[in-house]
Amino acid sequence: MKLIIQKFGGTSVADHERRNLVVNKIRNAFKNDCFPVVVVSAIGRNGDPYATDTLINFAKSVGVEPNARELDLLMSCGEIISCVILSNTLKKNGYESKVFTGGQAGIITDNNYGNAEIIRVEPDNILSCIEKNIIPIIAGFQGITEDGNITTLGRGGSDVTAAIIGEAIDAEVVEIYTDVEGVMTADPKIVQDAKVLEAVYYDEVFQMAEYGAKVIHPKAVEIAMRSNIPLLIKSTLKESNGTLITNYDKYRKYGQGKIDKIVTSIAQIGNRTQFKVIFDGSARQYEKDTILFNIIAAEKISIDMINIFPDMKVFIVDGAKEAKLKNILESQGYNFEVISNCTKVTIIGNRMRGIPGVMAKMVEALNENNIEILQTSDSHTTISCLIKSDKTNIAINALHRKFELDKN
Ligand code: ADP
Ligand code: MG
């Protein structure tokens, strides 16, 4: 029997009906001669009683900023509850299973609460559970430090749990079940006729995730890529093939379709703020200008889309950091301008490399819709434009049509 990982996201375990669909997926695994190791997220979305955001808001409702260690302890409960409920559902259906916290599953992390880094995995508990033919059900999104403190892996971290356990037990495939049919050409919540991609290469989907496509965590893609385990993104609700994420060789082995488009997908990250720090040429300013990025780094504010000109430095930050950075720059006497509520829209495609005219087409699509481009950045396989957030939907739909992503 082949070992596989089956990870179920928050909406996939939201109610009894959906948990029964999860049981079907587990049943199918056995039918296909596979032994599933299950990873689950917390039940539901913000507002649902045990969802991660509900727990965070509960802690914050006291009126003080919760301690990071304790907040992780609280958040980790969401996944544990989800595991126990699913385990009982499996029992009702005649399957024996055993629940593990991230720590019990052997996920050892550093103590960077809220966004812990995995140091190593000790999968002995999981392996001996499998040996006894008992289905392990692992709480996603969490680990434990060397000295026994519970940590969380950052939002979307259950995908990371699935990939890292998959690597540790040498799984045949990591199946990620979610509320969409697979990786799509754009976020289906924005583009109605977004198409499911039959297959995508690791590096391409990694870019998508890095540039904001929420469907999979970039770290999960990174882990799967380094251990060469295929990821399969599928719908819990529908029976369909989903999207296979793999390398070039495996793609040929598994995939039937062809990847021929120059641009394969569009992603976006909202709530960005643009800062323009202006250099007035004076000797006093010169000194400040040279240490600007050091000051920002010392405050642990990460910046992106950095463009440097002789008289100006332009970059973007997460909107949540806007007020803090404004205060710092003001107190240090910098001359700067700020544009809030921006979105970074990115077109992604491995075949873009060296093909002229892609940027021209992107600019054309945005111009045709009177969307002002505030800034751009690019790599070999991506082009990003910063625009005002209220134009996001128009921009992404226009780009989707321009690059014919709505056509097969
Ligand atoms: P889960 O709780 O199952 O992990 P997420 O909400 O994290 O689910 O991820 C699924 C969501 O990702 C979808 O509902 C969809 O709106 C969003 N999404 C964003 N970009 C894409 C894309 N390119 N393809 C598919 N889904 C996407
Ligand atoms: Mg997710």
Side-chain angles (χ1 to χ4, degrees):
M1 231 187 239
K2 290 177 275 190
L3 280 183
I4 66 167
I5 306 286
Q6 293 189 311
K7 178 253 166 179
F8 299 94
T11 49
S12 304
V13 287
D15 52 36
H16 283 301
E17 205 181 319
R18 289 183 192 208
R19 286 190 289 273
N20 284 333
L21 296 176
V22 167
V23 175
N24 284 344
K25 304 295 177 195
I26 292 170
R27 189 176 290 126
N28 285 344
F30 283 110
K31 271 191 201 151
N32 293 324
D33 205 28
C34 295
F35 191 93
V37 173
V38 177
V39 175
V40 290
S41 299
I43 291 173
R45 290 274 185 267
N46 195 6
D48 295 329
Y50 313 111
T52 309
D53 284 309
T54 310
L55 297 174
I56 295 173
N57 291 337
F58 191 19
K60 288 188 172 168
S61 69
V62 179
V64 288
E65 194 55 35
N67 169 294
R69 176 183 174 275
E70 268 85 80
L71 190 61
D72 270 14
L73 202 53
L74 176 68
M75 283 196 284
S76 71
C77 298
E79 274 67 19
I80 297 173
I81 293 169
S82 186
C83 280
V84 173
I85 299 299
L86 182 63
S87 178
N88 286 349
T89 310
L90 282 172
K91 191 173 177 189
K92 197 173 154 192
N93 284 275
Y95 292 99
E96 197 179 351
S97 62
K98 184 172 176 183
V99 170
F100 296 87
T101 65
Q104 290 166 345
I107 298 175
I108 315 293
T109 74
D110 65 12
N111 66 356
N112 184 20
Y113 296 108
N115 200 16
E117 208 49 66
I118 297 169
I119 299 168
R120 63 173 189 282
V121 181
E122 296 168 354
D124 303 357
N125 286 342
I126 299 302
L127 290 171
S128 61
C129 185
I130 296 166
E131 255 169 45
K132 293 183 195 118
N133 266 319
I134 299 170
I135 305 167
I137 304 186
I138 303 170
F141 172 64
Q142 54 178 265
I144 198 162
T145 62
E146 302 274 9
D147 52 355
N149 288 304
I150 290 180
T151 52
T152 65
L153 307 177
R155 299 313 295 268
S158 294
D159 296 337
V160 181
T161 306
I164 203 86
I165 295 288
E167 180 179 54
I169 66 169
D170 200 14
E172 194 80 9
V173 61
V174 174
E175 299 181 348
I176 307 271
Y177 288 92
T178 183
D179 61 352
V180 286
E181 278 186 62
V183 178
M184 304 179 81
T185 48
D187 186 342
K189 291 194 178 97
I190 294 179
V191 180
Q192 262 183 2
D193 49 7
K195 294 265 178 299
V196 178
L197 297 163
E198 189 179 340
V200 202
Y201 301 128
Y202 289 121
D203 45 359
E204 221 162 7
V205 99
F206 176 77
Q207 302 270 30
M208 292 173 73
E210 277 279 295
Y211 285 97
K214 200 183 156 201
V215 64
I216 178 99
H217 195 297
K219 259 189 216 165
V221 182
E222 208 170 45
I223 295 163
M225 178 155 58
R226 79 177 175 213
S227 48
N228 213 353
I229 299 176
L231 291 168
L232 198 54
I233 316 277
K234 295 182 100 173
S235 161
T236 309
L237 303 173
K238 275 193 180 173
E239 273 307 322
S240 57
N241 289 340
T243 303
L244 177 74
I245 304 170
T246 181
N247 66 20
Y248 296 80
D249 293 338
K250 280 231 176 93
Y251 171 67
R252 272 187 227 113
K253 190 171 145 200
Y254 291 97
Q256 294 107 39
K258 56 185 195 305
I259 300 177
D260 59 355
K261 291 221 165 78
I262 290 169
V263 170
T264 33
S265 64
I266 305 165
Q268 80 286 342
I269 305 180
N271 194 20
R272 302 292 101 180
T273 298
Q274 187 196 51
F275 277 80
K276 231 181 242 174
V277 181
I278 298 148
F279 176 51
D280 66 9
S282 70
R284 201 182 70 87
Q285 273 278 318
Y286 180 75
E287 216 169 284
K288 285 196 182 306
D289 197 56
T290 52
I291 58 168
L292 173 67
F293 291 130
N294 292 341
I295 292 175
I296 297 170
E299 295 291 336
K300 293 203 165 71
I301 297 174
S302 68
I303 57 176
D304 184 25
M305 293 190 95
I306 306 159
N307 293 149
I308 300 181
F309 306 98
D311 58 346
M312 189 161 51
K313 290 186 167 86
V314 189
F315 54 87
I316 64 168
V317 299
D318 182 343
K321 301 282 184 193
E322 177 186 318
K324 186 179 177 188
L325 186 54
K326 263 187 185 167
N327 282 339
I328 294 163
L329 297 182
E330 259 159 26
S331 68
Q332 304 266 340
Y334 281 99
N335 179 12
F336 63 95
E337 290 168 9
V338 172
I339 304 177
S340 317
N341 300 320
C342 298
T343 294
K344 179 166 96 166
V345 175
T346 305
I347 57 171
I348 299 146
N350 270 0
R351 296 193 60 243
M352 196 187 290
R353 213 180 291 258
I355 294 194
V358 185
M359 171 66 109
K361 223 167 157 180
M362 183 171 194
V363 171
E364 192 177 73
L366 297 178
N367 281 347
E368 279 164 0
N369 289 277
N370 300 317
I371 298 167
E372 188 185 12
I373 301 169
L374 302 169
Q375 212 183 323
T376 66
S377 62
D378 60 84
S379 72
H380 286 309
T381 54
T382 62
I383 303 176
S384 305
C385 286
L386 189 71
I387 60 167
K388 291 290 290 174
S389 294
D390 57 2
K391 302 280 188 187
T392 305
N393 284 15
I394 304 173
I396 294 177
N397 276 288
L399 290 166
H400 201 263
R401 279 192 303 273
K402 186 61 106 184
F403 289 100
E404 301 188 337
L405 297 184
D406 51 344
K407 302 201 177 109
N408 283 324

